Amino acid sequence: MQENKKQERTVQEEMARERKYWKQNQIWALVLAAVVLLNLLGGSGFSVATGPEALTLTLHDGKTCPIPYSSITEVQLLDEPQYGTMLEGKQTRQGNSGTWEHPEWGQYTLCTYSSSSCAVWIRSDSQCYVANLSSSAETQQLYQIILEKSPVSK
């Protein structure tokens, strides 16, 4: 009789361990699914980077747009900009990138984070760009870097 109780207790303990194991696996599966979903629906996939010779925009589709500082002919810091209409690209909660059209600027390349309320408008020898970083303070620093490295302020 005592052996049956011991076996029953062992079986119950084993079942409890299995339930815990399956719960942990379900939690990990949900976390993984959430990460995949976030990457598909709203993952960054785009960036704005300053380098020694050029500003580089990387769009959601992986296309890179190097803008040599020496080719910049005009630059403005825009507060609360209106970007116009997306022609091609991607809009996510985190930001937008692609080819856009604006009544004043015409077709241009956009690479902006939604979390910043300002952006930098850039005209180069070949086209216009609008970009920002993830905060207004960082975007203002980006603007200063472009002014220092481009022939615009000289």
PDB file of all heavy atoms in Angstrom, residues 113-152:
ATOM      1  N   TYR A 113      12.683  58.562 -38.256  1.00  0.00           N
ATOM      2  CA  TYR A 113      12.117  57.894 -37.090  1.00  0.00           C
ATOM      3  C   TYR A 113      10.882  58.682 -36.643  1.00  0.00           C
ATOM      4  O   TYR A 113      10.899  59.916 -36.642  1.00  0.00           O
ATOM      5  CB  TYR A 113      13.123  57.873 -35.935  1.00  0.00           C
ATOM      6  CG  TYR A 113      14.290  56.960 -36.171  1.00  0.00           C
ATOM      7  CD1 TYR A 113      15.412  57.400 -36.865  1.00  0.00           C
ATOM      8  CD2 TYR A 113      14.284  55.656 -35.690  1.00  0.00           C
ATOM      9  CE1 TYR A 113      16.490  56.557 -37.082  1.00  0.00           C
ATOM     10  CE2 TYR A 113      15.358  54.806 -35.896  1.00  0.00           C
ATOM     11  CZ  TYR A 113      16.459  55.270 -36.591  1.00  0.00           C
ATOM     12  OH  TYR A 113      17.510  54.432 -36.818  1.00  0.00           O
ATOM     13  N   SER A 114       9.847  57.995 -36.234  1.00  0.00           N
ATOM     14  CA  SER A 114       8.617  58.640 -35.771  1.00  0.00           C
ATOM     15  C   SER A 114       8.802  59.345 -34.435  1.00  0.00           C
ATOM     16  O   SER A 114       8.058  60.252 -34.100  1.00  0.00           O
ATOM     17  CB  SER A 114       7.497  57.606 -35.647  1.00  0.00           C
ATOM     18  OG  SER A 114       7.266  56.979 -36.876  1.00  0.00           O
ATOM     19  N   SER A 115       9.802  58.923 -33.662  1.00  0.00           N
ATOM     20  CA  SER A 115       9.992  59.452 -32.309  1.00  0.00           C
ATOM     21  C   SER A 115      10.607  60.847 -32.278  1.00  0.00           C
ATOM     22  O   SER A 115      10.669  61.462 -31.223  1.00  0.00           O
ATOM     23  CB  SER A 115      10.864  58.485 -31.503  1.00  0.00           C
ATOM     24  OG  SER A 115      12.081  58.232 -32.188  1.00  0.00           O
ATOM     25  N   SER A 116      11.047  61.367 -33.401  1.00  0.00           N
ATOM     26  CA  SER A 116      11.650  62.698 -33.445  1.00  0.00           C
ATOM     27  C   SER A 116      10.682  63.672 -34.113  1.00  0.00           C
ATOM     28  O   SER A 116      10.081  63.349 -35.138  1.00  0.00           O
ATOM     29  CB  SER A 116      12.960  62.663 -34.231  1.00  0.00           C
ATOM     30  OG  SER A 116      13.544  63.945 -34.274  1.00  0.00           O
ATOM     31  N   SER A 117      10.561  64.867 -33.541  1.00  0.00           N
ATOM     32  CA  SER A 117       9.629  65.853 -34.093  1.00  0.00           C
ATOM     33  C   SER A 117      10.289  66.778 -35.112  1.00  0.00           C
ATOM     34  O   SER A 117       9.648  67.667 -35.646  1.00  0.00           O
ATOM     35  CB  SER A 117       9.022  66.686 -32.965  1.00  0.00           C
ATOM     36  OG  SER A 117      10.034  67.435 -32.324  1.00  0.00           O
ATOM     37  N   CYS A 118      11.574  66.572 -35.373  1.00  0.00           N
ATOM     38  CA  CYS A 118      12.237  67.394 -36.376  1.00  0.00           C
ATOM     39  C   CYS A 118      13.019  66.497 -37.333  1.00  0.00           C
ATOM     40  O   CYS A 118      13.174  65.298 -37.092  1.00  0.00           O
ATOM     41  CB  CYS A 118      13.146  68.435 -35.732  1.00  0.00           C
ATOM     42  SG  CYS A 118      14.496  67.771 -34.754  1.00  0.00           S
ATOM     43  N   ALA A 119      13.475  67.094 -38.421  1.00  0.00           N
ATOM     44  CA  ALA A 119      14.228  66.349 -39.430  1.00  0.00           C
ATOM     45  C   ALA A 119      15.174  67.304 -40.140  1.00  0.00           C
ATOM     46  O   ALA A 119      15.043  68.521 -40.052  1.00  0.00           O
ATOM     47  CB  ALA A 119      13.276  65.693 -40.426  1.00  0.00           C
ATOM     48  N   VAL A 120      16.121  66.719 -40.860  1.00  0.00           N
ATOM     49  CA  VAL A 120      17.079  67.508 -41.632  1.00  0.00           C
ATOM     50  C   VAL A 120      16.754  67.319 -43.117  1.00  0.00           C
ATOM     51  O   VAL A 120      16.676  66.188 -43.602  1.00  0.00           O
ATOM     52  CB  VAL A 120      18.527  67.060 -41.340  1.00  0.00           C
ATOM     53  CG1 VAL A 120      19.503  67.891 -42.161  1.00  0.00           C
ATOM     54  CG2 VAL A 120      18.841  67.172 -39.854  1.00  0.00           C
ATOM     55  N   TRP A 121      16.534  68.435 -43.810  1.00  0.00           N
ATOM     56  CA  TRP A 121      16.319  68.414 -45.253  1.00  0.00           C
ATOM     57  C   TRP A 121      17.652  68.705 -45.916  1.00  0.00           C
ATOM     58  O   TRP A 121      18.354  69.645 -45.534  1.00  0.00           O
ATOM     59  CB  TRP A 121      15.287  69.480 -45.638  1.00  0.00           C
ATOM     60  CG  TRP A 121      15.076  69.613 -47.107  1.00  0.00           C
ATOM     61  CD1 TRP A 121      14.282  68.836 -47.896  1.00  0.00           C
ATOM     62  CD2 TRP A 121      15.664  70.597 -47.971  1.00  0.00           C
ATOM     63  NE1 TRP A 121      14.347  69.276 -49.199  1.00  0.00           N
ATOM     64  CE2 TRP A 121      15.185  70.347 -49.266  1.00  0.00           C
ATOM     65  CE3 TRP A 121      16.549  71.647 -47.765  1.00  0.00           C
ATOM     66  CZ2 TRP A 121      15.559  71.120 -50.360  1.00  0.00           C
ATOM     67  CZ3 TRP A 121      16.925  72.416 -48.849  1.00  0.00           C
ATOM     68  CH2 TRP A 121      16.430  72.153 -50.128  1.00  0.00           C
ATOM     69  N   ILE A 122      18.011  67.860 -46.876  1.00  0.00           N
ATOM     70  CA  ILE A 122      19.327  67.954 -47.517  1.00  0.00           C
ATOM     71  C   ILE A 122      19.132  67.983 -49.031  1.00  0.00           C
ATOM     72  O   ILE A 122      18.432  67.138 -49.588  1.00  0.00           O
ATOM     73  CB  ILE A 122      20.198  66.730 -47.155  1.00  0.00           C
ATOM     74  CG1 ILE A 122      20.350  66.607 -45.638  1.00  0.00           C
ATOM     75  CG2 ILE A 122      21.546  66.792 -47.849  1.00  0.00           C
ATOM     76  CD1 ILE A 122      20.793  65.236 -45.166  1.00  0.00           C
ATOM     77  N   ARG A 123      19.781  68.954 -49.681  1.00  0.00           N
ATOM     78  CA  ARG A 123      19.842  68.957 -51.146  1.00  0.00           C
ATOM     79  C   ARG A 123      21.296  68.680 -51.514  1.00  0.00           C
ATOM     80  O   ARG A 123      22.209  69.327 -51.007  1.00  0.00           O
ATOM     81  CB  ARG A 123      19.404  70.286 -51.746  1.00  0.00           C
ATOM     82  CG  ARG A 123      19.452  70.264 -53.290  1.00  0.00           C
ATOM     83  CD  ARG A 123      19.063  71.577 -53.933  1.00  0.00           C
ATOM     84  NE  ARG A 123      17.723  72.019 -53.590  1.00  0.00           N
ATOM     85  CZ  ARG A 123      16.599  71.574 -54.162  1.00  0.00           C
ATOM     86  NH1 ARG A 123      16.651  70.648 -55.082  1.00  0.00           N
ATOM     87  NH2 ARG A 123      15.432  72.068 -53.793  1.00  0.00           N
ATOM     88  N   SER A 124      21.476  67.688 -52.381  1.00  0.00           N
ATOM     89  CA  SER A 124      22.827  67.387 -52.870  1.00  0.00           C
ATOM     90  C   SER A 124      22.888  67.743 -54.350  1.00  0.00           C
ATOM     91  O   SER A 124      21.909  68.230 -54.923  1.00  0.00           O
ATOM     92  CB  SER A 124      23.149  65.906 -52.658  1.00  0.00           C
ATOM     93  OG  SER A 124      22.467  65.112 -53.604  1.00  0.00           O
ATOM     94  N   ASP A 125      24.029  67.456 -54.961  1.00  0.00           N
ATOM     95  CA  ASP A 125      24.183  67.696 -56.401  1.00  0.00           C
ATOM     96  C   ASP A 125      23.126  66.962 -57.211  1.00  0.00           C
ATOM     97  O   ASP A 125      22.723  67.422 -58.271  1.00  0.00           O
ATOM     98  CB  ASP A 125      25.567  67.227 -56.875  1.00  0.00           C
ATOM     99  CG  ASP A 125      26.684  68.063 -56.285  1.00  0.00           C
ATOM    100  OD1 ASP A 125      26.438  69.219 -55.901  1.00  0.00           O
ATOM    101  OD2 ASP A 125      27.813  67.540 -56.195  1.00  0.00           O
ATOM    102  N   SER A 126      22.675  65.806 -56.697  1.00  0.00           N
ATOM    103  CA  SER A 126      21.797  64.965 -57.507  1.00  0.00           C
ATOM    104  C   SER A 126      20.338  64.888 -57.057  1.00  0.00           C
ATOM    105  O   SER A 126      19.465  64.647 -57.877  1.00  0.00           O
ATOM    106  CB  SER A 126      22.358  63.540 -57.568  1.00  0.00           C
ATOM    107  OG  SER A 126      22.476  63.012 -56.264  1.00  0.00           O
ATOM    108  N   GLN A 127      20.056  65.064 -55.762  1.00  0.00           N
ATOM    109  CA  GLN A 127      18.662  64.958 -55.312  1.00  0.00           C
ATOM    110  C   GLN A 127      18.486  65.494 -53.898  1.00  0.00           C
ATOM    111  O   GLN A 127      19.424  65.957 -53.272  1.00  0.00           O
ATOM    112  CB  GLN A 127      18.170  63.519 -55.408  1.00  0.00           C
ATOM    113  CG  GLN A 127      18.682  62.576 -54.341  1.00  0.00           C
ATOM    114  CD  GLN A 127      18.022  61.212 -54.450  1.00  0.00           C
ATOM    115  OE1 GLN A 127      18.479  60.392 -55.223  1.00  0.00           O
ATOM    116  NE2 GLN A 127      16.968  60.979 -53.699  1.00  0.00           N
ATOM    117  N   CYS A 128      17.239  65.378 -53.387  1.00  0.00           N
ATOM    118  CA  CYS A 128      16.908  65.815 -52.026  1.00  0.00           C
ATOM    119  C   CYS A 128      16.696  64.614 -51.121  1.00  0.00           C
ATOM    120  O   CYS A 128      16.276  63.543 -51.576  1.00  0.00           O
ATOM    121  CB  CYS A 128      15.634  66.656 -52.017  1.00  0.00           C
ATOM    122  SG  CYS A 128      15.802  68.235 -52.839  1.00  0.00           S
ATOM    123  N   TYR A 129      16.964  64.817 -49.839  1.00  0.00           N
ATOM    124  CA  TYR A 129      16.796  63.789 -48.814  1.00  0.00           C
ATOM    125  C   TYR A 129      16.199  64.442 -47.583  1.00  0.00           C
ATOM    126  O   TYR A 129      16.444  65.627 -47.318  1.00  0.00           O
ATOM    127  CB  TYR A 129      18.143  63.187 -48.407  1.00  0.00           C
ATOM    128  CG  TYR A 129      18.943  62.631 -49.545  1.00  0.00           C
ATOM    129  CD1 TYR A 129      19.818  63.431 -50.278  1.00  0.00           C
ATOM    130  CD2 TYR A 129      18.833  61.287 -49.896  1.00  0.00           C
ATOM    131  CE1 TYR A 129      20.555  62.920 -51.324  1.00  0.00           C
ATOM    132  CE2 TYR A 129      19.579  60.758 -50.938  1.00  0.00           C
ATOM    133  CZ  TYR A 129      20.441  61.581 -51.651  1.00  0.00           C
ATOM    134  OH  TYR A 129      21.172  61.057 -52.684  1.00  0.00           O
ATOM    135  N   VAL A 130      15.450  63.674 -46.806  1.00  0.00           N
ATOM    136  CA  VAL A 130      15.004  64.108 -45.488  1.00  0.00           C
ATOM    137  C   VAL A 130      15.307  62.960 -44.538  1.00  0.00           C
ATOM    138  O   VAL A 130      14.950  61.805 -44.798  1.00  0.00           O
ATOM    139  CB  VAL A 130      13.499  64.453 -45.454  1.00  0.00           C
ATOM    140  CG1 VAL A 130      13.060  64.793 -44.036  1.00  0.00           C
ATOM    141  CG2 VAL A 130      13.201  65.623 -46.383  1.00  0.00           C
ATOM    142  N   ALA A 131      15.997  63.274 -43.434  1.00  0.00           N
ATOM    143  CA  ALA A 131      16.396  62.238 -42.479  1.00  0.00           C
ATOM    144  C   ALA A 131      16.375  62.808 -41.078  1.00  0.00           C
ATOM    145  O   ALA A 131      16.414  64.024 -40.874  1.00  0.00           O
ATOM    146  CB  ALA A 131      17.796  61.727 -42.816  1.00  0.00           C
ATOM    147  N   ASN A 132      16.289  61.914 -40.106  1.00  0.00           N
ATOM    148  CA  ASN A 132      16.439  62.313 -38.714  1.00  0.00           C
ATOM    149  C   ASN A 132      16.983  61.136 -37.921  1.00  0.00           C
ATOM    150  O   ASN A 132      17.179  60.050 -38.465  1.00  0.00           O
ATOM    151  CB  ASN A 132      15.136  62.866 -38.122  1.00  0.00           C
ATOM    152  CG  ASN A 132      14.053  61.830 -37.946  1.00  0.00           C
ATOM    153  OD1 ASN A 132      14.262  60.627 -38.064  1.00  0.00           O
ATOM    154  ND2 ASN A 132      12.842  62.284 -37.667  1.00  0.00           N
ATOM    155  N   LEU A 133      17.216  61.380 -36.661  1.00  0.00           N
ATOM    156  CA  LEU A 133      17.617  60.322 -35.739  1.00  0.00           C
ATOM    157  C   LEU A 133      16.471  60.117 -34.757  1.00  0.00           C
ATOM    158  O   LEU A 133      15.438  60.772 -34.845  1.00  0.00           O
ATOM    159  CB  LEU A 133      18.936  60.669 -35.056  1.00  0.00           C
ATOM    160  CG  LEU A 133      20.134  60.740 -36.013  1.00  0.00           C
ATOM    161  CD1 LEU A 133      21.385  61.215 -35.298  1.00  0.00           C
ATOM    162  CD2 LEU A 133      20.392  59.397 -36.681  1.00  0.00           C
ATOM    163  N   SER A 134      16.647  59.228 -33.798  1.00  0.00           N
ATOM    164  CA  SER A 134      15.515  58.803 -32.965  1.00  0.00           C
ATOM    165  C   SER A 134      15.015  59.853 -31.973  1.00  0.00           C
ATOM    166  O   SER A 134      13.966  59.674 -31.380  1.00  0.00           O
ATOM    167  CB  SER A 134      15.856  57.506 -32.234  1.00  0.00           C
ATOM    168  OG  SER A 134      16.981  57.696 -31.416  1.00  0.00           O
ATOM    169  N   SER A 135      15.734  60.953 -31.795  1.00  0.00           N
ATOM    170  CA  SER A 135      15.235  62.023 -30.924  1.00  0.00           C
ATOM    171  C   SER A 135      15.527  63.374 -31.575  1.00  0.00           C
ATOM    172  O   SER A 135      16.393  63.486 -32.446  1.00  0.00           O
ATOM    173  CB  SER A 135      15.902  61.960 -29.543  1.00  0.00           C
ATOM    174  OG  SER A 135      17.250  62.389 -29.626  1.00  0.00           O
ATOM    175  N   SER A 136      14.831  64.389 -31.117  1.00  0.00           N
ATOM    176  CA  SER A 136      15.046  65.734 -31.656  1.00  0.00           C
ATOM    177  C   SER A 136      16.444  66.240 -31.331  1.00  0.00           C
ATOM    178  O   SER A 136      17.085  66.881 -32.172  1.00  0.00           O
ATOM    179  CB  SER A 136      13.989  66.695 -31.106  1.00  0.00           C
ATOM    180  OG  SER A 136      12.718  66.319 -31.589  1.00  0.00           O
ATOM    181  N   ALA A 137      16.935  65.932 -30.134  1.00  0.00           N
ATOM    182  CA  ALA A 137      18.290  66.360 -29.750  1.00  0.00           C
ATOM    183  C   ALA A 137      19.345  65.713 -30.652  1.00  0.00           C
ATOM    184  O   ALA A 137      20.270  66.392 -31.125  1.00  0.00           O
ATOM    185  CB  ALA A 137      18.557  66.017 -28.292  1.00  0.00           C
ATOM    186  N   GLU A 138      19.193  64.422 -30.915  1.00  0.00           N
ATOM    187  CA  GLU A 138      20.140  63.738 -31.799  1.00  0.00           C
ATOM    188  C   GLU A 138      20.038  64.274 -33.222  1.00  0.00           C
ATOM    189  O   GLU A 138      21.046  64.382 -33.926  1.00  0.00           O
ATOM    190  CB  GLU A 138      19.879  62.234 -31.800  1.00  0.00           C
ATOM    191  CG  GLU A 138      20.291  61.546 -30.519  1.00  0.00           C
ATOM    192  CD  GLU A 138      19.935  60.059 -30.513  1.00  0.00           C
ATOM    193  OE1 GLU A 138      19.055  59.644 -31.296  1.00  0.00           O
ATOM    194  OE2 GLU A 138      20.552  59.326 -29.733  1.00  0.00           O
ATOM    195  N   THR A 139      18.834  64.609 -33.663  1.00  0.00           N
ATOM    196  CA  THR A 139      18.642  65.162 -35.006  1.00  0.00           C
ATOM    197  C   THR A 139      19.305  66.529 -35.116  1.00  0.00           C
ATOM    198  O   THR A 139      19.920  66.845 -36.146  1.00  0.00           O
ATOM    199  CB  THR A 139      17.142  65.240 -35.346  1.00  0.00           C
ATOM    200  OG1 THR A 139      16.590  63.923 -35.272  1.00  0.00           O
ATOM    201  CG2 THR A 139      16.912  65.806 -36.733  1.00  0.00           C
ATOM    202  N   GLN A 140      19.224  67.337 -34.077  1.00  0.00           N
ATOM    203  CA  GLN A 140      19.899  68.640 -34.086  1.00  0.00           C
ATOM    204  C   GLN A 140      21.415  68.457 -34.147  1.00  0.00           C
ATOM    205  O   GLN A 140      22.112  69.216 -34.833  1.00  0.00           O
ATOM    206  CB  GLN A 140      19.478  69.459 -32.873  1.00  0.00           C
ATOM    207  CG  GLN A 140      18.045  69.926 -32.987  1.00  0.00           C
ATOM    208  CD  GLN A 140      17.504  70.583 -31.721  1.00  0.00           C
ATOM    209  OE1 GLN A 140      18.184  70.663 -30.714  1.00  0.00           O
ATOM    210  NE2 GLN A 140      16.262  71.027 -31.789  1.00  0.00           N
ATOM    211  N   GLN A 141      21.929  67.425 -33.461  1.00  0.00           N
ATOM    212  CA  GLN A 141      23.363  67.119 -33.549  1.00  0.00           C
ATOM    213  C   GLN A 141      23.730  66.680 -34.967  1.00  0.00           C
ATOM    214  O   GLN A 141      24.779  67.064 -35.489  1.00  0.00           O
ATOM    215  CB  GLN A 141      23.749  66.042 -32.545  1.00  0.00           C
ATOM    216  CG  GLN A 141      23.723  66.511 -31.104  1.00  0.00           C
ATOM    217  CD  GLN A 141      23.976  65.382 -30.116  1.00  0.00           C
ATOM    218  OE1 GLN A 141      23.902  64.210 -30.448  1.00  0.00           O
ATOM    219  NE2 GLN A 141      24.276  65.758 -28.879  1.00  0.00           N
ATOM    220  N   LEU A 142      22.871  65.870 -35.580  1.00  0.00           N
ATOM    221  CA  LEU A 142      23.084  65.448 -36.966  1.00  0.00           C
ATOM    222  C   LEU A 142      23.179  66.674 -37.873  1.00  0.00           C
ATOM    223  O   LEU A 142      24.074  66.760 -38.724  1.00  0.00           O
ATOM    224  CB  LEU A 142      21.946  64.528 -37.426  1.00  0.00           C
ATOM    225  CG  LEU A 142      21.925  64.128 -38.891  1.00  0.00           C
ATOM    226  CD1 LEU A 142      23.124  63.251 -39.241  1.00  0.00           C
ATOM    227  CD2 LEU A 142      20.615  63.407 -39.233  1.00  0.00           C
ATOM    228  N   TYR A 143      22.285  67.604 -37.692  1.00  0.00           N
ATOM    229  CA  TYR A 143      22.283  68.844 -38.481  1.00  0.00           C
ATOM    230  C   TYR A 143      23.616  69.583 -38.321  1.00  0.00           C
ATOM    231  O   TYR A 143      24.208  70.031 -39.307  1.00  0.00           O
ATOM    232  CB  TYR A 143      21.105  69.717 -38.037  1.00  0.00           C
ATOM    233  CG  TYR A 143      21.050  71.080 -38.662  1.00  0.00           C
ATOM    234  CD1 TYR A 143      20.751  71.240 -40.015  1.00  0.00           C
ATOM    235  CD2 TYR A 143      21.287  72.225 -37.907  1.00  0.00           C
ATOM    236  CE1 TYR A 143      20.691  72.503 -40.592  1.00  0.00           C
ATOM    237  CE2 TYR A 143      21.219  73.480 -38.470  1.00  0.00           C
ATOM    238  CZ  TYR A 143      20.932  73.619 -39.814  1.00  0.00           C
ATOM    239  OH  TYR A 143      20.873  74.868 -40.380  1.00  0.00           O
ATOM    240  N   GLN A 144      24.104  69.694 -37.088  1.00  0.00           N
ATOM    241  CA  GLN A 144      25.385  70.371 -36.831  1.00  0.00           C
ATOM    242  C   GLN A 144      26.552  69.642 -37.502  1.00  0.00           C
ATOM    243  O   GLN A 144      27.438  70.271 -38.078  1.00  0.00           O
ATOM    244  CB  GLN A 144      25.631  70.496 -35.322  1.00  0.00           C
ATOM    245  CG  GLN A 144      24.715  71.467 -34.618  1.00  0.00           C
ATOM    246  CD  GLN A 144      24.799  72.877 -35.200  1.00  0.00           C
ATOM    247  OE1 GLN A 144      25.869  73.382 -35.525  1.00  0.00           O
ATOM    248  NE2 GLN A 144      23.639  73.509 -35.366  1.00  0.00           N
ATOM    249  N   ILE A 145      26.534  68.318 -37.448  1.00  0.00           N
ATOM    250  CA  ILE A 145      27.595  67.526 -38.097  1.00  0.00           C
ATOM    251  C   ILE A 145      27.594  67.774 -39.598  1.00  0.00           C
ATOM    252  O   ILE A 145      28.652  67.977 -40.211  1.00  0.00           O
ATOM    253  CB  ILE A 145      27.416  66.019 -37.786  1.00  0.00           C
ATOM    254  CG1 ILE A 145      27.741  65.749 -36.319  1.00  0.00           C
ATOM    255  CG2 ILE A 145      28.263  65.154 -38.708  1.00  0.00           C
ATOM    256  CD1 ILE A 145      27.349  64.367 -35.831  1.00  0.00           C
ATOM    257  N   ILE A 146      26.413  67.779 -40.198  1.00  0.00           N
ATOM    258  CA  ILE A 146      26.315  68.026 -41.645  1.00  0.00           C
ATOM    259  C   ILE A 146      26.824  69.428 -41.976  1.00  0.00           C
ATOM    260  O   ILE A 146      27.574  69.612 -42.950  1.00  0.00           O
ATOM    261  CB  ILE A 146      24.871  67.822 -42.146  1.00  0.00           C
ATOM    262  CG1 ILE A 146      24.472  66.351 -42.000  1.00  0.00           C
ATOM    263  CG2 ILE A 146      24.725  68.284 -43.593  1.00  0.00           C
ATOM    264  CD1 ILE A 146      22.996  66.079 -42.213  1.00  0.00           C
ATOM    265  N   LEU A 147      26.459  70.426 -41.169  1.00  0.00           N
ATOM    266  CA  LEU A 147      26.941  71.793 -41.401  1.00  0.00           C
ATOM    267  C   LEU A 147      28.458  71.854 -41.326  1.00  0.00           C
ATOM    268  O   LEU A 147      29.107  72.512 -42.153  1.00  0.00           O
ATOM    269  CB  LEU A 147      26.339  72.753 -40.368  1.00  0.00           C
ATOM    270  CG  LEU A 147      24.900  73.206 -40.589  1.00  0.00           C
ATOM    271  CD1 LEU A 147      24.470  74.129 -39.465  1.00  0.00           C
ATOM    272  CD2 LEU A 147      24.749  73.908 -41.942  1.00  0.00           C
ATOM    273  N   GLU A 148      29.031  71.181 -40.341  1.00  0.00           N
ATOM    274  CA  GLU A 148      30.496  71.207 -40.161  1.00  0.00           C
ATOM    275  C   GLU A 148      31.231  70.492 -41.289  1.00  0.00           C
ATOM    276  O   GLU A 148      32.304  70.933 -41.711  1.00  0.00           O
ATOM    277  CB  GLU A 148      30.859  70.544 -38.826  1.00  0.00           C
ATOM    278  CG  GLU A 148      30.453  71.359 -37.617  1.00  0.00           C
ATOM    279  CD  GLU A 148      30.586  70.585 -36.310  1.00  0.00           C
ATOM    280  OE1 GLU A 148      31.206  69.496 -36.302  1.00  0.00           O
ATOM    281  OE2 GLU A 148      30.042  71.067 -35.292  1.00  0.00           O
ATOM    282  N   LYS A 149      30.673  69.395 -41.783  1.00  0.00           N
ATOM    283  CA  LYS A 149      31.390  68.566 -42.768  1.00  0.00           C
ATOM    284  C   LYS A 149      31.073  68.927 -44.222  1.00  0.00           C
ATOM    285  O   LYS A 149      31.790  68.500 -45.111  1.00  0.00           O
ATOM    286  CB  LYS A 149      31.091  67.082 -42.519  1.00  0.00           C
ATOM    287  CG  LYS A 149      31.661  66.606 -41.194  1.00  0.00           C
ATOM    288  CD  LYS A 149      31.536  65.116 -41.070  1.00  0.00           C
ATOM    289  CE  LYS A 149      32.215  64.663 -39.788  1.00  0.00           C
ATOM    290  NZ  LYS A 149      32.453  63.240 -39.767  1.00  0.00           N
ATOM    291  N   SER A 150      30.017  69.670 -44.454  1.00  0.00           N
ATOM    292  CA  SER A 150      29.634  70.005 -45.832  1.00  0.00           C
ATOM    293  C   SER A 150      30.148  71.393 -46.200  1.00  0.00           C
ATOM    294  O   SER A 150      30.441  72.200 -45.327  1.00  0.00           O
ATOM    295  CB  SER A 150      28.120  69.939 -45.979  1.00  0.00           C
ATOM    296  OG  SER A 150      27.520  71.038 -45.311  1.00  0.00           O
ATOM    297  N   PRO A 151      30.199  71.668 -47.496  1.00  0.00           N
ATOM    298  CA  PRO A 151      30.641  73.018 -47.917  1.00  0.00           C
ATOM    299  C   PRO A 151      29.580  74.102 -47.722  1.00  0.00           C
ATOM    300  O   PRO A 151      29.843  75.272 -47.962  1.00  0.00           O
ATOM    301  CB  PRO A 151      30.943  72.827 -49.412  1.00  0.00           C
ATOM    302  CG  PRO A 151      30.168  71.643 -49.841  1.00  0.00           C
ATOM    303  CD  PRO A 151      30.016  70.775 -48.622  1.00  0.00           C
ATOM    304  N   VAL A 152      28.406  73.748 -47.249  1.00  0.00           N
ATOM    305  CA  VAL A 152      27.294  74.690 -47.091  1.00  0.00           C
ATOM    306  C   VAL A 152      27.669  75.846 -46.178  1.00  0.00           C
ATOM    307  O   VAL A 152      27.402  77.009 -46.477  1.00  0.00           O
ATOM    308  CB  VAL A 152      26.036  73.975 -46.557  1.00  0.00           C
ATOM    309  CG1 VAL A 152      24.935  74.950 -46.213  1.00  0.00           C
ATOM    310  CG2 VAL A 152      25.537  72.961 -47.568  1.00  0.00           C
TER     311      VAL A 152
END
